[in-house]
Amino acid sequence: MQKQTLQVLAETFAIHSLDVEQAIPAVVLQCDVYFIGKTHDELSLVVPQKLTIDAEETDYDWRVMEILGPLNLSMVGIMADIGGVLAKEKISIFVVSTFETDYILVKEDTLQAAVKALKKGGYKFNA
Protein backbone atom coordinates (compact mmCIF):
# COMPACT_ATOMS: atom_id res chain seq x y z
CA MET A 1 0.00 0.00 0.00
CA GLN A 2 1.34 3.42 -0.95
CA LYS A 3 1.77 5.77 2.01
CA GLN A 4 -0.24 8.98 2.00
CA THR A 5 0.95 12.54 2.44
CA LEU A 6 -0.28 14.45 5.48
CA GLN A 7 -0.28 18.07 6.53
CA VAL A 8 -0.59 19.59 9.98
CA LEU A 9 -3.24 22.28 10.28
CA ALA A 10 -2.05 25.51 11.87
CA GLU A 11 -4.77 25.89 14.48
CA THR A 12 -5.14 24.16 17.81
CA PHE A 13 -8.54 22.50 18.36
CA ALA A 14 -10.80 21.58 21.27
CA ILE A 15 -13.21 18.67 21.50
CA HIS A 16 -16.50 19.56 23.19
CA SER A 17 -19.25 17.32 24.54
CA LEU A 18 -22.66 18.99 24.59
CA ASP A 19 -26.07 17.88 25.75
CA VAL A 20 -27.68 15.96 22.91
CA GLU A 21 -30.57 18.47 22.84
CA GLN A 22 -28.32 21.54 22.80
CA ALA A 23 -28.34 23.66 19.65
CA ILE A 24 -25.11 23.89 17.68
CA PRO A 25 -23.74 27.38 18.36
CA ALA A 26 -23.95 29.57 15.25
CA VAL A 27 -20.31 30.63 15.67
CA VAL A 28 -19.27 27.03 14.91
CA LEU A 29 -20.76 27.22 11.43
CA GLN A 30 -18.63 30.28 10.67
CA CYS A 31 -15.34 28.39 11.17
CA ASP A 32 -13.23 27.27 8.21
CA VAL A 33 -12.80 23.81 9.75
CA TYR A 34 -15.12 22.11 12.23
CA PHE A 35 -16.58 18.66 12.84
CA ILE A 36 -19.95 17.76 14.32
CA GLY A 37 -20.98 14.31 15.50
CA LYS A 38 -24.40 13.51 16.91
CA THR A 39 -25.96 10.26 18.09
CA HIS A 40 -28.95 9.44 20.26
CA ASP A 41 -26.72 9.90 23.31
CA GLU A 42 -24.29 12.70 22.55
CA LEU A 43 -23.36 15.77 20.56
CA SER A 44 -19.66 16.34 19.95
CA LEU A 45 -17.96 19.33 18.36
CA VAL A 46 -14.37 19.65 17.21
CA VAL A 47 -13.64 23.32 16.67
CA PRO A 48 -10.75 25.77 16.80
CA GLN A 49 -9.77 26.21 20.42
CA LYS A 50 -10.14 30.01 20.23
CA LEU A 51 -13.95 29.59 20.23
CA THR A 52 -15.79 29.75 23.53
CA ILE A 53 -18.38 26.97 23.63
CA ASP A 54 -20.83 26.30 26.48
CA ALA A 55 -20.13 22.58 26.83
CA GLU A 56 -20.66 19.89 29.45
CA GLU A 57 -17.06 18.79 28.99
CA THR A 58 -14.13 20.02 26.92
CA ASP A 59 -10.73 18.59 26.09
CA TYR A 60 -8.22 21.19 24.84
CA ASP A 61 -4.92 21.24 22.96
CA TRP A 62 -5.55 18.95 19.99
CA ARG A 63 -3.64 19.32 16.72
CA VAL A 64 -4.98 18.07 13.42
CA MET A 65 -3.10 16.07 10.79
CA GLU A 66 -5.01 15.91 7.51
CA ILE A 67 -4.46 13.00 5.15
CA LEU A 68 -4.29 14.77 1.81
CA GLY A 69 -6.92 13.36 -0.48
CA PRO A 70 -9.22 12.80 -1.96
CA LEU A 71 -9.22 9.22 -0.75
CA ASN A 72 -11.45 6.67 -2.41
CA LEU A 73 -14.04 5.24 0.00
CA SER A 74 -13.03 1.71 -1.02
CA MET A 75 -9.44 2.16 0.19
CA VAL A 76 -8.60 -0.25 3.01
CA GLY A 77 -6.21 -0.04 5.95
CA ILE A 78 -5.14 3.60 5.92
CA MET A 79 -6.33 4.41 9.43
CA ALA A 80 -5.30 0.99 10.72
CA ASP A 81 -1.73 1.57 9.54
CA ILE A 82 -1.49 5.15 10.82
CA GLY A 83 -3.14 4.16 14.09
CA GLY A 84 -0.71 1.27 14.45
CA VAL A 85 2.32 3.51 13.89
CA LEU A 86 1.09 5.95 16.54
CA ALA A 87 0.00 3.21 18.97
CA LYS A 88 3.54 1.79 18.95
CA GLU A 89 4.69 5.20 20.21
CA LYS A 90 1.88 5.31 22.81
CA ILE A 91 0.30 8.34 21.10
CA SER A 92 -3.44 8.65 21.63
CA ILE A 93 -5.53 9.68 18.62
CA PHE A 94 -8.99 11.04 17.89
CA VAL A 95 -10.11 10.43 14.30
CA VAL A 96 -12.65 12.31 12.19
CA SER A 97 -13.55 11.39 8.63
CA THR A 98 -15.22 13.18 5.75
CA PHE A 99 -16.31 11.89 2.36
CA GLU A 100 -12.92 12.68 0.83
CA THR A 101 -10.36 12.20 3.59
CA ASP A 102 -9.51 11.51 7.22
CA TYR A 103 -8.17 13.71 9.99
CA ILE A 104 -6.06 12.44 12.87
CA LEU A 105 -6.01 14.55 16.01
CA VAL A 106 -3.20 14.21 18.53
CA LYS A 107 -2.52 16.20 21.66
CA GLU A 108 -0.27 19.24 21.15
CA ASP A 109 2.47 17.78 23.36
CA THR A 110 2.68 14.63 21.20
CA LEU A 111 2.53 16.27 17.77
CA GLN A 112 6.27 16.27 17.08
CA ALA A 113 6.61 12.65 18.19
CA ALA A 114 3.64 11.71 15.98
CA VAL A 115 5.11 13.42 12.93
CA LYS A 116 8.50 11.81 13.57
CA ALA A 117 6.95 8.34 13.95
CA LEU A 118 4.83 8.70 10.82
CA LYS A 119 7.81 9.92 8.77
CA LYS A 120 9.79 6.93 10.02
CA GLY A 121 6.82 4.78 8.95
CA GLY A 122 7.08 6.09 5.38
CA TYR A 123 4.54 8.92 5.46
CA LYS A 124 5.35 12.34 4.01
CA PHE A 125 4.29 15.76 5.27
CA ASN A 126 3.61 18.94 3.35
CA ALA A 127 5.26 21.99 4.88
Side-chain angles (χ1 to χ4, degrees), residues 85-86 89 91 112-123 125:
V85 168
L86 297 176
E89 298 298 320
I91 297 172
Q112 294 308 313
V115 170
K116 181 178 177 183
L118 289 167
K119 284 181 177 178
K120 184 178 176 184
Y123 291 91
F125 281 81

Side-chain angles (χ1 to χ4, degrees), residues 1-58:
M1 172 175 69
Q2 181 182 0
K3 303 290 183 162
Q4 287 69 38
T5 300
L6 296 92
Q7 85 178 4
V8 177
L9 302 187
E11 290 188 273
T12 301
F13 285 74
I15 303 170
H16 302 280
S17 176
L18 284 68
D19 182 275
V20 71
E21 300 299 325
Q22 188 171 340
I24 296 165
V27 67
V28 170
L29 304 178
Q30 303 303 313
C31 295
D32 289 335
V33 177
Y34 61 88
F35 302 96
I36 299 171
K38 184 175 181 183
T39 68
H40 298 290
D41 300 319
E42 67 175 309
L43 172 61
S44 296
L45 305 177
V46 179
V47 297
Q49 188 162 292
K50 64 185 176 189
L51 292 184
T52 301
I53 302 290
D54 181 22
E56 293 181 344
E57 190 173 348
T58 300

